[in-house]
Amino acid sequence: MSAGKNEYKKIVVAAILTLQVTCMVLTLRYSKTTTKYLSSTAVVNAEVVKMFICVFVLSYQHGTSVISHLNDELFSKPRDMLLCATPALLYLIQNNLLFYAIERLDAAVYQVTYQLKILATALCTVLMLDRYISKQKWIALFVLTIGVSLAQFQPTTNTIHDSNAASMGVIALLIACFTSGFAGVYTEKLLKQTTASLWIRNIQLAIWSAVVGIIGVYYSSDGVEVREHGFFNGYTRLVWFVVLLQASSGIIVALTIKIADNIVKNFSVAMSLLLSTLISIPLFDFKPSPYFIFGASMVLFSVWLYSLQHTLKMPWQKVEEPEAMC
């Protein structure tokens, strides 16, 4: 019964994450067509809003003792705080690698190669959490990787001819894939194998992410615009709604990782990609590539295959016949 309840919880959080990310992507896309603001500042503000949400929940749980609880969990445990710095630093490295790669690769090559992060996450799950993944589930993950790549694939006429630059771009992108997988599984380990609550962990992660994000804003090309026009330039109610959605997405992702795992999170994000694309067709007059229908079909098939509780018999596998009774 408990196993059944656990599976039910996984399905519920995965569905919520899919719908929430879909809503966030559509709102973000609309905000970018109607308002001019810096995405880098919105990411930092989302981390700050996430902290406030978590403090509010802890205030509801602990009442007047919330200050002492925060002091005990955040400031009296410096080792815990340092452990949470790792994902933030890894994501900073990952973002820089992605910028480096996108400048040296065709958009199509970039989109397809970056989906290897799905397999990198599964590999890190096996190595870091000592978790077994069956052959059938590995096949589902490979199908998911190809499906997401096809669904996002947009043919381009712009070709980068510098083979050395392209090679360095691919290497940077592959490192970014494994950095993403390692950071995700490391965060899962922090959420599952420690005694700190989900809300405390989110605050710790958000503090480091906000610090790293602020450094990234001021030491990037966005820094000039921020110094000239201010950190909140272009912010409207719609932009703040986007920030709120991003903050809630961070919390729901952490909840999904804690109750399920990073692989389930990747399936949810893939499903949200299909949903947001389909809704964008009438909403934004978006025209997906001809590959989208094939990619979407593969994603749906991979979800079905991964969720099967029994192992399928493949056509090339021999079926053992029962021995005849003498």
Side-chain angles (χ1 to χ4, degrees):
M1 185 68 177
S2 59
K5 284 185 178 179
N6 192 40
E7 289 300 316
Y8 177 74
K9 284 181 180 179
K10 289 180 181 180
I11 293 170
V12 170
V13 293
I16 291 172
L17 179 61
T18 299
L19 294 174
Q20 200 279 336
V21 173
T22 302
C23 181
M24 185 186 71
V25 169
L26 293 171
T27 309
L28 180 62
R29 184 172 292 172
Y30 179 69
S31 71
K32 282 297 183 181
T33 60
T34 58
T35 315
K36 185 180 180 182
Y37 65 97
L38 294 175
S39 299
S40 56
T41 62
V43 171
V44 173
N45 287 323
E47 295 298 332
V48 175
V49 170
K50 184 167 72 174
M51 278 189 274
F52 277 110
I53 293 172
C54 293
V55 170
F56 177 79
V57 173
L58 289 171
S59 299
Y60 177 78
Q61 291 178 344
H62 296 274
T64 54
S65 62
V66 66
I67 302 298
S68 60
H69 177 70
L70 289 171
N71 181 63
D72 291 341
E73 294 292 336
L74 298 179
F75 306 111
S76 300
K77 297 178 180 179
R79 182 176 175 276
D80 266 19
M81 281 296 294
L82 287 174
L83 285 174
C84 291
T86 303
L89 293 173
L90 287 173
Y91 284 127
L92 176 64
I93 294 169
Q94 176 195 332
N95 288 335
N96 281 285
L97 288 169
L98 292 178
F99 279 120
Y100 180 88
I102 203 167
E103 290 172 355
R104 290 162 176 79
L105 294 173
D106 297 335
V109 175
Y110 176 89
Q111 289 169 351
V112 172
T113 307
Y114 189 45
Q115 299 314 318
L116 290 173
K117 65 182 180 180
I118 296 171
L119 298 177
T121 300
L123 183 61
C124 288
T125 298
V126 172
L127 296 176
M128 295 171 63
L129 300 179
D130 196 25
R131 190 174 297 160
Y132 173 73
I133 298 177
S134 67
K135 290 180 182 179
Q136 181 170 299
K137 290 186 184 297
W138 274 113
I139 293 171
L141 290 168
F142 273 101
V143 173
L144 176 68
T145 302
I146 298 169
V148 173
S149 299
L150 285 174
Q152 288 189 314
F153 185 72
Q154 294 286 348
T156 178
T157 55
N158 298 325
T159 305
I160 296 174
H161 298 286
D162 189 340
S163 58
N164 289 330
S167 298
M168 293 303 295
V170 170
I171 291 170
L173 196 53
L174 290 175
I175 295 171
C177 289
F178 280 96
T179 304
S180 173
F182 182 87
V185 177
Y186 182 92
T187 304
E188 181 178 342
K189 199 167 185 176
L190 281 177
L191 290 168
K192 287 183 174 178
Q193 298 182 3
T194 55
T195 56
S197 70
L198 176 75
W199 310 107
I200 289 294
R201 277 287 179 250
N202 267 301
I203 293 173
Q204 291 170 326
L205 292 167
I207 288 171
W208 285 110
S209 297
V211 169
V212 169
I214 290 170
I215 294 170
V217 168
Y218 282 97
Y219 285 92
S220 67
S221 57
D222 290 345
V224 177
E225 190 169 340
V226 168
R227 283 186 284 271
E228 287 181 0
H229 304 290
F231 198 83
F232 301 100
N233 182 49
Y235 274 61
T236 61
R237 290 181 180 177
L238 177 62
V239 177
W240 280 112
F241 184 58
V242 170
V243 168
L244 180 62
L245 286 174
Q246 286 182 319
S248 60
S249 176
I251 295 172
I252 296 171
V253 164
L255 185 64
T256 304
I257 291 172
K258 187 175 178 68
I259 293 177
D261 53 44
N262 271 283
I263 296 174
V264 171
K265 181 206 76 174
N266 284 339
F267 275 102
S268 296
V269 173
M271 289 299 296
S272 72
L273 165 69
L274 303 188
L275 273 176
S276 59
T277 302
L278 289 172
I279 296 171
S280 294
I281 294 171
L283 204 61
F284 302 112
D285 197 26
F286 177 71
K287 293 179 176 59
S289 74
Y291 302 96
F292 175 76
I293 188 68
F294 298 106
S297 301
M298 292 183 76
V299 169
L300 293 173
F301 174 73
S302 70
V303 172
W304 172 77
L305 184 61
Y306 191 88
S307 62
L308 280 180
Q309 298 299 318
H310 61 279
T311 303
L312 287 178
K313 287 290 183 184
M314 300 300 175
W316 57 83
Q317 291 179 319
K318 293 181 179 179
V319 180
E320 293 183 4
E321 297 182 359
E323 294 182 4
M325 296 290 290
C326 295

